Amino acid sequence: MSNAVPTDYASARERVDALRRRLQHHAQQYHVLDAPEIPDAEYDRLYDELQALEQAHPEWVTADSPTQRVIGAVLDGLKPVRHAVAMLSIQAERDTSEASARRFDARVRKALAAAAASTPTAVSESTSASQSTSAAAAAAAAAPELASASASASPSAADAPLLAYSAELKFDGLAINLRYQHGRLVQAATRGDGETGEDVTHTISTIGDIPQRLRGAAASAAAVIEVRGEVFMRRDHFEQLNEQQRSKGGKTFVNPRNAAAGVVRQLDARIAAERPLSFFAYGLGDVQGWDPPPTHSGLLTALAAMGVPVNDERAVVLGADGLVAYHARIAARRDALPFDIDGVVYKLDSRALQLQLGFKSREPRWALAHKYPAQEQMTALNGIDIQLGRTGKLTPVAKLHPVFVGGTTVSNATLHNVFELRRKGVRVGDTVIVRRAGDVIPEVVGRVPGERPAYVPNFRMPAQCPVCGSAVLREKGGIDHRCTGGLFCATQRKQALLHFAGRRAMDIEGLGDKLVDQLVDSGLIRTLPELYTLGVAKLSALARMADKSAANLLTGLERSKQTTLGRFLYALGIRHVGETTAKDLARHFGSIDRLMDASADRLLAVRDVGPVVAQSIRAFFDQPHNREVMEQLRAAGITWPESDGSADKTDAAPRPLFGKIFVLTGTLPLLTRDEAKDLIEAAGGKVAGSVSKRTSYVVAGEEAGSKLDKARELGLPVLDEDGLRALLDAG
Ligand SMILES: [Zn+2]
């Protein structure tokens, strides 16, 4: 993908012009329209190439070159805001190796020494002192407690005490300036071009994380405190949003940052309110009437005390080794974080030293953004395969020219469904953008505009299942294609078995991925009931099956026979029948026979069962082979306590939490999260994943996170485990 730097003068000149045009186009797509066409990594490559050419030919540098200014313009409909203090960017280091951190530390030391030598008011240190000593002395003057810590931290470098840095995550979102006057939020603005941003107070005010009022007397007394930070969308919220968009055939967002930017710059605050955003502060803008702490880390702590969200992964580290260790530690945590980061940021912790160093061409000398491998890359789409899921869903999968993305090499990525694939206009032979972040399956998020072969046929879903040859159907109005083979289809059989054996279903201990593969591939198991006909003889026929694991499986199977109707129904893997619906059905009908014979109308009488679910349940029990499976499983000895009563009687059972919505957060002293969920549901309540105005109670344990903060903000009742039990007992 990279272009060789031209060597002759004329073609280099042409290349500079071409690069500027392309970068300006892509910057417009990214910053103004929130619709990037190429991955950031590709933009960075073009930018670096332009910068290298301009360094070789300084006479070509113009004021409007993308290397010379922050790009960003005000979107039509939003009001421009002139920043009281310019919002500058931090120098980014795209070399992800530890050498970058070491070079930065060396640069800072050198610059501090130069500043100390040239400024008479700087810390008095004899001019004969070494550079590093005077820099360290300056650090000692600004932050004595840290300098003494550093001396003991590294005895081997006694002549070069270490500088203290504040190290933080680099959130992949949108920079925002929050202006508080006497503690009250009066304005929120985007960065824009650094001098002028956009007024987005209307959308920012919908973000629960951002306080409308700062806590504490100091904040109330201050005429102005501008808090700067990043607005971003958590990965799970992003996945939910895209899933919603996909299910209604709407446009999906390329990445969380893009989605967050789109929401913040949304003219309609109501749309913004439906799309959850988060915020972390990382600095200050204009300040009047408040004396901030002398260190950057102290400032972040002070902001947190005022009620502003500040990320907990921040740390104060010493010297280059400290920076390197922090970069490595966060890299290992990156996928586990609930949001995207594209690097870490180092800032000289002492604000006095920051002032001494100042700025170089609009970037602070005392800060560095040290990147991680990009989570989006370009690559060639070589083909499209079909992958079959447990429920029989057919997913188009991109076969890619292998590409290093998000820290790993990817050669397959999901294209989700045929409609999304067509809407994105992706075809074999295209250059596409691949994203891989966190535990999410890599996906193709779009195609890079460009040339393509004259004729490539549109992708079509096959009419037959690639695994079993059964007919492929699409539900009326649905977007997914499915194999109708059911247990007849080997892929669905394996996954149906795994689902059946799952912890929240029949809970068969000893039946995992590998064993299921063996059982199905060897032909031992073709239907669910055959599981219960396994004996030592059959199992010992399997290669590598130890006697002990055979015995374990047989015990597990025997134990699983005593179950509940709810678990059993869930285990069957009926489409649209999740755990909660299965429990509701069990409670409503009380017996499997009544359920199997229930008309669609009677099914609709069950709480939360709509036409689609009712149709799916009917379709399942209308298949003669599924009824047969039911009989065989019961014949194998699977039992559960049946309730005799009619639906009305079972529904009349005490349900003290009926209609109440709970959110669980943190670790409870005795109950696991699953147990708490079961208790709440058994009492008629619901458990939701996120806090909103509709939440009835938040149950919080140890290390409760932002959900608890949000609950407090909304003034919701917060319970501990005892409180929950009291509520349950009240019925
Ligand atoms: Zn099939």
Side-chain angles (χ1 to χ4, degrees):
M1 300 284 162
S2 73
N3 297 279
V5 175
T7 45
D8 73 283
Y9 192 87
S11 59
R13 180 69 248 224
E14 266 175 41
R15 182 73 187 149
V16 164
D17 289 340
L19 284 168
R20 284 183 187 156
R21 279 194 305 273
R22 280 172 70 181
L23 286 166
Q24 269 151 3
H25 168 78
H26 290 304
Q28 171 84 3
Q29 292 294 127
Y30 177 109
H31 289 286
V32 183
L33 305 175
D34 296 322
E37 293 174 347
I38 56 171
D40 293 1
E42 181 61 16
Y43 183 90
D44 292 346
R45 267 191 290 271
L46 297 172
Y47 185 97
D48 289 349
E49 188 188 343
L50 176 61
Q51 203 166 40
L53 283 167
E54 286 180 346
Q55 267 160 14
H57 301 278
E59 70 278 15
W60 292 345
V61 176
T62 57
D64 65 349
S65 171
T67 58
Q68 302 301 305
R69 61 195 199 101
V70 182
I71 297 178
V74 175
L75 194 69
D76 274 352
L78 293 174
K79 205 170 77 210
V81 173
R82 181 101 188 144
H83 294 302
V85 174
M87 284 182 87
L88 304 177
S89 50
I90 288 178
Q91 187 199 345
E93 178 61 77
R94 294 196 268 274
D95 172 358
T96 60
S97 77
E98 67 169 71
S100 305
R102 297 193 184 283
R103 280 196 303 269
F104 170 65
D105 178 59
R107 269 200 310 278
V108 170
R109 285 165 172 277
K110 195 172 164 195
L112 277 177
S118 65
T119 316
T121 53
V123 178
S124 64
E125 182 69 45
S126 91
T127 48
S128 65
S130 76
Q131 289 176 352
S132 49
T133 310
S134 62
E145 73 285 5
L146 290 165
S148 61
S150 72
S152 58
S154 182
S156 65
D159 61 329
L162 303 170
L163 288 173
Y165 295 97
S166 175
E168 302 158 34
L169 306 184
K170 185 174 183 300
F171 311 103
D172 205 3
L174 186 70
I176 292 288
N177 185 69
L178 304 173
R179 188 174 174 88
Y180 289 89
Q181 288 178 351
H182 296 287
R184 185 173 288 280
L185 179 65
V186 294
Q187 188 180 61
T190 62
R191 183 204 303 272
D193 64 2
E195 304 290 339
T196 305
E198 299 155 317
D199 189 330
V200 289
T201 316
H202 62 298
T203 52
I204 292 297
S205 297
T206 69
I207 302 177
D209 279 1
I210 295 181
Q212 294 292 312
R213 277 208 76 99
L214 297 177
R215 284 205 292 262
S220 305
V224 175
I225 296 179
E226 285 188 354
V227 177
R228 287 181 176 172
E230 200 90 345
V231 167
F232 59 94
M233 188 176 283
R234 288 169 52 118
R235 224 152 33 217
D236 54 347
H237 292 149
F238 169 71
E239 294 301 324
Q240 278 164 23
L241 174 61
N242 266 358
E243 204 51 56
Q244 269 170 28
Q245 292 295 100
R246 233 172 254 135
S247 67
K248 55 184 188 202
K251 186 184 179 313
T252 52
F253 295 90
V254 171
N255 54 40
R257 192 217 32 239
N258 198 233
V263 175
V264 168
R265 303 174 78 218
Q266 180 54 254
L267 301 178
D268 186 345
R270 282 168 306 178
I271 295 177
E274 289 165 7
R275 300 180 172 176
L277 295 176
S278 307
F279 176 84
F280 281 129
Y282 52 62
L284 287 180
D286 189 18
V287 174
Q288 295 168 32
W290 180 52
D291 203 9
T295 60
H296 184 73
S297 53
L299 166 66
L300 293 180
T301 305
L303 289 177
M306 289 179 182
V308 178
V310 178
N311 186 262
D312 288 337
E313 303 281 349
R314 68 187 188 277
V316 175
V317 301
L318 295 169
D321 287 344
L323 298 178
V324 168
Y326 182 80
H327 188 262
R329 179 165 74 76
I330 298 298
R333 298 251 308 115
R334 187 187 187 190
D335 279 357
L337 294 171
F339 42 78
D340 279 3
I341 57 168
D342 59 354
V344 291
V345 177
Y346 313 133
K347 291 172 184 162
L348 199 50
D349 200 33
S350 155
R351 287 159 56 84
L353 293 187
Q354 290 180 3
L355 276 176
Q356 280 186 32
L357 284 191
F359 294 81
K360 181 192 178 194
S361 66
R362 303 174 56 84
E363 286 171 346
R365 277 199 183 86
W366 41 266
L368 181 80
H370 191 184
K371 299 268 216 160
Y372 289 129
Q375 290 175 317
E376 284 155 27
Q377 288 290 3
M378 298 183 357
T379 192
L381 176 63
N382 293 335
I384 299 176
D385 274 3
I386 299 295
Q387 197 179 61
L388 188 65
R390 177 186 75 79
T391 58
K393 182 185 163 191
L394 273 62
T395 303
V397 173
K399 308 307 277 182
L400 304 168
H401 182 77
V403 61
F404 188 72
V405 55
T408 188
T409 300
V410 167
S411 46
N412 297 308
T414 182
L415 285 156
H416 296 290
N417 63 59
V418 72
F419 296 98
E420 189 166 336
L421 191 161
R422 288 199 192 135
R423 199 172 32 69
K424 286 175 179 161
V426 175
R427 293 190 198 173
V428 174
D430 282 345
T431 299
V432 294
I433 303 171
V434 183
R435 170 178 158 82
R436 194 205 80 98
D439 305 329
V440 179
I441 304 163
E443 62 173 339
V444 170
V445 295
R447 74 176 276 261
V448 178
E451 285 179 25
R452 61 175 18 155
Y455 179 74
V456 181
N458 251 328
F459 171 79
R460 298 185 71 90
M461 272 293 186
Q464 263 89 39
C465 171
V467 174
C468 72
S470 300
V472 167
L473 288 182
R474 179 163 63 87
E475 279 177 5
K476 199 160 185 259
I479 50 170
D480 293 326
H481 289 74
R482 291 174 189 282
C483 163
T484 54
L487 280 173
F488 178 69
C489 182
T491 300
Q492 294 181 66
R493 196 181 302 152
K494 282 182 188 176
Q495 290 172 341
L497 278 170
L498 279 174
H499 175 76
F500 184 80
R503 199 170 54 81
R504 299 187 68 80
M506 298 298 283
D507 194 16
I508 304 174
E509 250 175 79
L511 188 58
D513 285 357
K514 285 217 176 76
L515 190 48
V516 163
D517 280 351
Q518 279 186 300
L519 290 169
V520 172
D521 293 342
S522 67
L524 272 183
I525 302 276
R526 286 176 309 274
T527 68
L528 285 177
E530 280 178 342
L531 258 185
Y532 291 94
T533 65
L534 290 172
V536 179
K538 277 192 189 173
L539 285 174
S540 60
L542 290 176
R544 283 171 300 156
M545 181 84 188
D547 288 351
K548 189 155 170 274
S549 35
N552 280 348
L553 175 60
L554 293 175
T555 314
L557 282 166
E558 205 49 43
R559 279 209 192 122
S560 74
K561 288 180 181 174
Q562 303 294 324
T563 185
T564 64
L565 180 54
R567 277 176 175 272
F568 180 73
L569 287 175
Y570 173 61
L572 293 175
I574 305 169
R575 187 159 152 66
H576 298 305
V577 177
E579 215 185 328
T580 310
T581 306
K583 281 182 194 165
D584 285 346
L585 288 168
R587 208 161 25 229
H588 189 96
F589 290 100
S591 96
I592 186 91
D593 298 303
R594 271 196 292 276
L595 172 61
M596 285 200 290
D597 295 336
S599 66
D601 279 350
R602 288 209 53 199
L603 288 166
L604 284 171
V606 181
R607 211 181 5 266
D608 286 339
V609 170
V612 176
V613 185
Q615 188 200 21
S616 166
I617 297 168
R618 260 312 355 122
F620 183 87
F621 289 117
D622 284 344
Q623 299 282 324
H625 70 252
N626 283 336
R627 284 190 173 243
E628 223 168 278
V629 163
M630 227 54 47
E631 286 317 310
Q632 289 166 352
L633 285 172
R634 285 205 281 189
I638 292 176
T639 58
W640 52 82
E642 296 231 340
S643 79
D644 59 334
S646 67
D648 294 331
K649 242 188 222 166
T650 44
D651 268 5
R655 296 163 63 77
L657 305 187
F658 179 71
K660 301 278 189 266
I661 300 174
F662 289 74
V663 172
L664 303 171
T665 176
T667 313
L668 297 176
L670 299 171
L671 291 172
T672 66
R673 204 169 274 210
D674 282 345
E675 286 164 352
K677 184 166 180 263
D678 284 345
L679 287 173
I680 290 168
E681 286 176 354
K686 281 251 155 78
V687 176
S690 59
V691 176
S692 74
K693 288 191 187 105
R694 288 185 322 214
T695 308
S696 319
Y697 297 97
V698 171
V699 182
E702 292 257 329
E703 288 176 33
S706 60
K707 287 177 188 170
L708 180 57
D709 299 339
K710 180 116 190 248
R712 295 214 166 109
E713 230 159 78
L714 294 174
L716 299 172
V718 177
L719 304 174
D720 59 7
E721 185 172 320
D722 288 342
L724 172 63
R725 286 186 189 278
L727 212 55
L728 288 163
D729 293 342

